[in-house]
């Protein structure tokens, strides 16, 4: 792909993450902070640490069809989609779709594994990304909780079915209430 070839040199010449060095102040930083505050993954990250994360992140833009990460490659960058849509492919088969606020690339950083999927821009995509060095320096591997991704793990495009809560007894409500009140992390 011409698009892949053009995307890779920029990645290696700039910060090694597909983007350019971030502006540490001004409206870009404010915009990044606002965006990060609304990304579900970062809700557990203490608010006072959002500034350091925003400062560590670079931006990258990918055109529709561009491969952002390639299955099997070594990875040293974590991405958060700021705008646009991506397709997750495993062995050439689309298994999931990602949108603004979704993220990818964490497995390579958390487990030192090769990329487990190819991520392809399905539209023009703007990302915020952070290198492995900054990811570790900020302690994101310990501070963030990355849920298991069923759609990627099972290798098929999966629509998640959401069900209403099951009925609870008075004893079950009391147990849940006690557990929540006793949880210092909430």
């Amino acid at each position: 792909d011409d698009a892949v070839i053009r995307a890779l040199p920029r990645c290696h010449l700039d910060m090694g993450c597909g983007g350019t060095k971030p502006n540490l102040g001004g409206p870009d930083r404010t915009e990044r902070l606002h965006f990060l505050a609304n990304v579900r993954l970062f809700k557990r990250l203490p608010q006072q640490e959002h500034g350091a994360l925003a400062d560590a992140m670079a931006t990258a833009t990918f055109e529709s069809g561009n491969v952002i990460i390639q299955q099997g490659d070594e990875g040293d960058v974590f991405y958060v989609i700021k705008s646009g849509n991506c397709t997750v492919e495993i062995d050439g088969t689309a298994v999931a779709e990602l949108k603004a606020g979704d993220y990818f690339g964490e497995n390579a950083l958390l487990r030192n594994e090769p990329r487990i999927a190819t991520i392809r821009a399905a539209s023009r995509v703007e990302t915020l990304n952070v290198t492995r060095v900054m990811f570790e320096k900020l302690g994101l591997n310990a501070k963030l909780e990355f849920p298991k991704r069923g759609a990627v793990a099972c290798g098929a495009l999966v629509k998640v079915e959401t069900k209403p809560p099951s009925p609870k007894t008075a004893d079950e409500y009391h147990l849940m209430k006690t557990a929540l009140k006793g949880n210092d992390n909430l």
Side-chain angles (χ1 to χ4, degrees):
D1 278 61
D2 286 340
V4 174
I5 294 169
R6 277 187 253 133
L8 291 175
R10 190 173 100 202
C11 179
H12 294 295
L13 293 174
D14 290 343
M15 292 183 60
C17 60
T20 57
K21 189 166 185 163
N23 175 5
L24 297 182
D28 288 344
R29 183 177 194 267
T30 303
E31 182 183 330
R32 279 195 306 274
L33 283 169
H34 179 72
F35 174 76
L36 294 173
N38 290 302
V39 173
R40 185 177 183 153
L41 176 67
F42 301 122
K43 297 282 186 192
R44 292 182 55 138
L45 186 67
Q47 192 67 37
Q48 65 269 21
E49 296 186 35
H50 283 209
L53 177 59
D55 293 343
M57 295 187 113
T59 60
T61 301
F62 302 90
E63 298 303 322
S64 182
N66 281 130
V67 171
I68 302 171
I69 64 173
Q70 181 69 48
Q71 182 178 357
D73 286 354
E74 289 186 30
D76 63 351
V77 181
F78 169 70
Y79 298 85
V80 180
I81 300 172
K82 189 172 177 194
S83 65
N85 298 301
C86 294
T87 302
V88 180
E89 302 170 3
I90 296 180
D91 299 328
T93 302
V95 297
E97 297 170 0
L98 302 174
K99 63 186 180 324
D102 289 336
Y103 55 88
F104 56 92
E106 74 279 8
N107 283 329
L109 277 58
L110 294 171
R111 297 181 192 89
N112 239 357
E113 297 175 341
R115 301 290 193 187
I116 60 172
T118 295
I119 308 296
R120 184 182 309 273
S123 64
R124 188 170 199 267
V125 174
E126 184 177 348
T127 65
L128 294 175
N129 49 62
V130 63
T131 64
R132 175 188 300 273
V133 171
M134 289 306 297
F135 189 88
E136 291 172 355
K137 184 177 179 180
L138 294 169
L140 297 178
N141 49 337
K143 295 175 184 173
L144 299 177
E145 188 173 311
F146 294 92
K148 183 178 179 189
R149 299 182 190 235
V152 173
C154 70
L157 190 56
V158 175
K159 297 283 186 199
V160 177
E161 181 183 348
T162 305
K163 297 181 180 180
S166 60
K168 306 287 187 273
T169 66
D171 287 341
E172 289 171 321
Y173 275 115
H174 178 71
L175 177 65
M176 289 186 294
K177 186 177 176 181
T178 303
L180 290 169
K181 283 184 176 181
N183 187 335
D184 293 334
N185 293 323
L186 298 178

